[in-house]
Amino acid sequence: MKNNIPYTILLLALGLQACSSAESDPSEVPGMVYIPGGEYELGNDTQVAYPDEYPIKKVSIDPFYMDATEVTNAQFKEFVEATGYVTVAEKDIDWEVMVQQLPEGTPKPPDSVLRAGSMVFQATEGPVNLVDYSQWWVWTIGANWQHPEGPGSDLKGRMDHPVVHIAHEDALAYAQWAGKRLPTEAEWEWAAMGGKGEVIYPWGNQAADDSADKANFWQGMFPYQNVETDGYYTTAPVKSYPPNGYGLFDMAGNVWEWCIDRYDEKAYGKLRQSANPVNDFSYNDPREPWSEKHVIRGGSLLCNDTYCSGYRVSRRMSSSKDSGFNHTGFRCVQDAEGNP
């Protein structure tokens, strides 16, 4: 299947106290952490919440295992070498496929743009209108997981960093190969809380401005000044910061993580079940109603309260399923019974 980057991207180139059960880890799964089941309130209805975070929904989650870290370059390389898999960002764009997701009458871009590539962050020279994200995202021919910043860049010294430029279908392919699956966003949020009950961030309630030692995110003035108090300008090696209460690393910052759910701005009001809920039936993003998007969670190295508070445990974001960026990766889960 060819790369199907949305045209909107190409234009850029041009609550309730959580209660977990007292279950103990029944067995060890290498590289994964046992997450006990429990009940909690999915979402957020406080003054910091975005509209897609409510209404809050009381849900229950069965126990499962989650990767202790985001999938690394070394792990993804092993998958590629074993299967010969080629990521979406490494394939030229099929306009006939892409145009089906676009507004009627969208003109075809030049063939020179429809080449294999991905979006790469580029800092601006000074303050900009934060509504216009085209000012810091650059469509880069040749950017992919092996070349995170485009041609001339490589993975030297970064094999223990999270893999990036990963589209939703890439994450699904890896998960299937590994005998795992992608988490639901309800599972992801429950795991991010770390068994600590009602918390704002995976590390607790300490303000982000005072938590540069807790996660990799943007300190300073986004998108032009990063003072790197956390020690990194780009991705950080996994396990560079303390784990949350369950032993999960980088549940805030570093890279956004794909979930299995389709993104619907009003999903919480539509969820058809309270036990292990998942939105697998509707896409709805009013900002780009023609684009099929999936949920991403956890924030990234670019998150800052002036622009994006993605490191909050309840914060939801979306990305078109066929696109990748140099701040997007994933981690996997597995049912506690061992049946992915």
Side-chain angles (χ1 to χ4, degrees), residues 138-171:
V138 178
W139 173 250
T140 305
I141 303 299
N144 54 56
W145 75 275
Q146 299 184 82
H147 306 286
E149 290 78 48
S153 65
D154 57 38
L155 299 180
K156 184 177 181 180
R158 291 193 276 189
M159 296 310 293
D160 59 349
H161 287 228
V163 66
V164 295
H165 294 297
I166 297 297
H168 195 259
E169 65 182 74
D170 302 330

Side-chain angles (χ1 to χ4, degrees), residues 107-312:
K108 181 180 178 181
D111 288 342
S112 60
V113 176
L114 298 176
R115 293 171 56 197
S118 190
M119 300 301 294
V120 174
F121 172 79
Q122 180 175 291
T124 61
E125 295 182 357
V128 295
N129 181 354
L130 295 181
V131 175
D132 182 9
Y133 51 86
S134 69
Q135 297 180 87
W136 58 84
W137 284 114
V138 178
W139 173 250
T140 305
I141 303 299
N144 54 56
W145 75 275
Q146 299 184 82
H147 306 286
E149 290 78 48
S153 65
D154 57 38
L155 299 180
K156 184 177 181 180
R158 291 193 276 189
M159 296 310 293
D160 59 349
H161 287 228
V163 66
V164 295
H165 294 297
I166 297 297
H168 195 259
E169 65 182 74
D170 302 330
L172 287 173
Y174 175 94
Q176 183 177 22
W177 171 79
K180 303 176 183 181
R181 60 179 174 83
L182 294 183
T184 67
E185 65 170 322
E187 287 175 329
W188 193 99
E189 186 169 317
W190 170 248
M193 295 165 68
K196 295 181 178 179
E198 188 175 334
V199 293
I200 301 173
Y201 311 104
W203 62 78
N205 292 324
Q206 181 174 302
D209 285 346
D210 301 321
S211 302
D213 60 338
K214 303 292 194 299
N216 179 18
F217 56 92
W218 187 282
Q219 291 92 40
M221 302 300 294
F222 185 84
Y224 62 95
Q225 179 195 50
N226 187 346
V227 296
E228 301 177 51
T229 311
D230 59 15
Y232 296 92
Y233 185 82
T234 58
T235 55
V238 298
K239 298 187 178 182
S240 292
Y241 305 93
N244 76 352
Y246 285 140
L248 300 167
F249 294 87
D250 298 312
M251 292 298 282
N254 223 11
V255 297
W256 284 102
E257 300 178 12
W258 286 110
C259 293
I260 195 65
D261 301 63
R262 297 179 178 187
Y263 177 80
D264 186 333
E265 184 184 58
K266 302 183 182 300
Y268 293 175
K270 299 178 180 179
L271 287 177
R272 298 177 291 186
Q273 61 192 60
S274 59
N276 304 306
V278 57
N279 175 27
D280 57 1
F281 58 94
S282 61
Y283 292 108
N284 175 30
D285 188 342
R287 295 165 297 182
E288 295 181 354
W290 53 83
S291 180
E292 296 182 346
K293 295 186 175 184
H294 283 257
V295 174
I296 51 176
R297 288 291 200 123
S300 79
L301 55 98
L302 301 181
C303 280
N304 179 277
D305 274 343
T306 62
Y307 166 63
C308 161
S309 58
Y311 31 61
R312 290 191 295 105

Side-chain angles (χ1 to χ4, degrees), residues 83-103:
T83 63
Y85 185 82
V86 179
T87 63
V88 168
E90 296 172 284
K91 302 173 185 176
D92 286 340
I93 299 166
D94 187 337
W95 172 249
E96 297 305 319
V97 173
M98 184 174 68
V99 74
Q100 297 175 23
Q101 297 187 53
L102 305 176

